[in-house]
Amino acid sequence: MSSPSSGPLKVCILGSGNWGSAIARIVGANAKANNEFVDEVNMWVFEEMIEGKKLTEIINTTHENVKYLKGYKIPENVVAIPDAKDAVKGANIIVFVIPHQFIERICKDIQGCVEKDALAISLIKGVTVKDNGLQLITEVIKSYLNIEVNCLMGANLAPEVAAGYFCETTIGCRDAEAGKMLKTLFQADYFRIVVVEDATTVELCGALKNIVAVGAGIVDGLGLGDNTKAAVIRLGLMEMVAFASEFYKNTETATFLESCGVADLITTCYGGRNRRVSEAFVKTGKSIEELEKEMLNGQKLQGPETAREVNLMLKAKNMTDRFPLFTAIFKICYQDLPAKDLIGCLNNHPVHM
């Protein structure tokens, strides 16, 4: 990595939901404690009114995101900014942590405002569709901004990270120097970083595990127990590995054993929002959209949308039969397949591994 600056590196965080606010606690503290970075960290906040006050003003005066991460202080050197273009000005490192549905919109907004030698890192778990194929979020960012983009994925439920419970995460970075710098920016005593070169698999894990978590939630909603849930998790992992090897070159199966892979899959299938909302989807009969509004306090669900995007790719390649779990979850979420039919779709699962 060619150094983007001869002096300390300026950091910008794009996003301020619960995960963005949780990671801001770590990044803010590390930026202030380490001479490698400028003390002040910009954080773009989608402006909202909370009890008559602007959310940015609340964060900048109380140093707490009262909507998305109530009860946890954000370091005072993290400054909330309502305009993304202003937030990225002069930034050498840009941390993307927004719902994947909004990535193109934000990239278009900041185009022309980003330093040419800036480095980006995506904490976004999702994919987009392009020409009946999938486009990784890092690829989307690079296509708009023409900068190097890395990724961070792991078993990192935001409230637990905010509370300082020990966990691990994986940074996918093909440049050793950049990986070392990013590790310095993100690592904490309770937030252990492992850097691997296989960035593609790291990112795919972060997206695909949300589909499997929907399946886990459906199992919970049906009351089928832990044995069935374990089977869904295992078969889901098989489909994740098969999908990566089928559609992407040079992916490494060993990466699935990092935090971004099996650990994140297990955590999401037991404690994530995709599991919770999918369980409610089965029990209440309400739509995914209704439950998002009722249960997620303005946050977005990734699993159903990723299942839809993956299904487009599988259909284009006539491969839906090879991925019965991914396909069944898509049909349950979008084509009114009864949730109870999930298990029947898995009985004759093909062997991928």
Side-chain angles (χ1 to χ4, degrees):
M1 181 190 80
S2 58
S3 177
S5 172
S6 57
L9 304 173
K10 174 72 174 176
V11 181
C12 168
I13 300 171
L14 290 176
S16 59
N18 65 343
W19 185 212
S21 298
I23 210 67
R25 285 166 51 81
I26 297 174
V27 168
N30 285 346
K32 192 167 184 64
N34 196 303
N35 291 333
E36 193 172 348
F37 308 104
V38 174
D39 281 1
E40 187 173 279
V41 174
N42 290 350
M43 180 172 72
W44 172 64
V45 175
F46 179 78
E47 193 69 280
E48 301 177 65
M49 298 301 293
I50 309 294
E51 297 181 355
K53 294 182 179 179
K54 293 180 179 179
L55 182 55
T56 52
E57 292 180 1
I58 294 172
I59 293 172
N60 287 333
T61 54
T62 69
H63 307 291
E64 182 180 344
N65 189 333
V66 295
K67 178 165 185 181
Y68 295 110
L69 199 68
K70 194 170 184 177
Y72 296 98
K73 291 294 183 182
I74 294 171
E76 293 185 11
N77 60 310
V78 176
V79 179
I81 297 175
D83 189 313
K85 293 187 287 293
D86 291 338
V88 300
K89 283 180 181 175
N92 308 111
I93 304 165
I94 304 173
V95 181
F96 285 82
V97 56
I98 59 175
H100 84 276
Q101 295 95 323
F102 304 134
I103 188 61
E104 292 200 52
R105 186 187 309 174
I106 196 70
C107 285
K108 288 176 182 177
D109 190 31
I110 64 175
Q111 244 181 341
C113 301
V114 174
E115 297 290 319
K116 291 181 180 179
D117 56 357
L119 186 73
I121 182 165
S122 170
L123 280 62
I124 301 170
K125 295 179 177 180
V127 289
T128 63
V129 174
K130 183 178 182 181
D131 302 327
N132 284 329
L134 293 187
Q135 190 173 29
L136 300 175
I137 298 300
T138 54
E139 294 172 338
V140 175
I141 296 169
K142 188 167 186 176
S143 70
Y144 279 99
L145 305 181
N146 194 31
I147 58 177
E148 288 302 313
V149 190
N150 308 285
C151 59
L152 181 153
M153 306 283 158
N156 310 138
L157 297 179
E160 296 183 14
V161 173
Y165 299 159
F166 177 81
C167 63
E168 298 178 306
T169 199
T170 312
I171 289 178
C173 181
R174 296 176 180 88
D175 185 290
E177 185 182 346
K180 183 178 179 181
M181 180 270 292
L182 291 170
K183 183 172 182 175
T184 300
L185 181 62
F186 286 98
Q187 183 151 279
D189 290 343
Y190 60 91
F191 196 63
R192 178 176 179 264
I193 304 285
V194 174
V195 181
V196 300
E197 291 185 7
D198 184 16
T200 298
T201 304
V202 172
E203 188 170 5
L204 281 170
C205 285
L208 298 176
K209 57 93 183 183
N210 284 326
I211 306 176
V212 186
V214 173
I218 291 169
V219 169
D220 289 340
L222 294 170
L224 296 178
D226 286 337
N227 291 344
T228 305
K229 192 170 178 177
V232 166
I233 293 171
R234 188 189 76 83
L235 293 171
L237 179 60
M238 289 173 63
E239 292 195 14
M240 289 169 61
V241 174
F243 187 92
S245 62
E246 182 69 40
F247 291 101
Y248 293 88
K249 296 178 181 179
N250 302 320
T251 58
E252 298 177 17
T253 303
T255 305
F256 286 89
L257 299 179
E258 298 291 347
S259 181
C260 62
V262 66
D264 195 12
L265 178 62
I266 293 168
T267 298
T268 308
C269 287
Y270 278 89
R273 72 182 75 157
N274 288 280
R275 188 217 63 79
R276 286 192 295 113
V277 173
S278 300
E279 179 183 15
F281 174 71
V282 175
K283 288 183 173 179
T284 66
K286 295 180 180 180
S287 69
I288 295 291
E289 292 76 14
E290 287 178 289
L291 292 168
E292 268 188 339
K293 292 175 182 176
E294 289 180 15
M295 300 176 65
L296 298 185
N297 190 33
Q299 298 175 77
K300 289 293 183 182
L301 206 62
Q302 308 296 331
E305 180 70 10
T306 304
R308 184 188 67 80
E309 291 160 343
V310 164
N311 189 257
L312 288 172
M313 194 167 183
L314 295 177
K315 278 184 178 176
K317 302 288 186 179
N318 197 28
M319 296 178 68
T320 55
D321 289 347
R322 288 188 54 193
F323 295 84
L325 179 62
F326 287 177
T327 301
I329 290 167
F330 162 74
K331 289 181 177 179
I332 291 168
C333 291
Y334 292 101
Q335 295 186 344
D336 298 321
L337 179 72
K340 62 181 178 60
D341 289 356
L342 174 66
I343 305 307
C345 295
L346 304 179
N347 263 328
N348 296 308
H349 198 288
V351 176
H352 289 307
M353 294 172 65

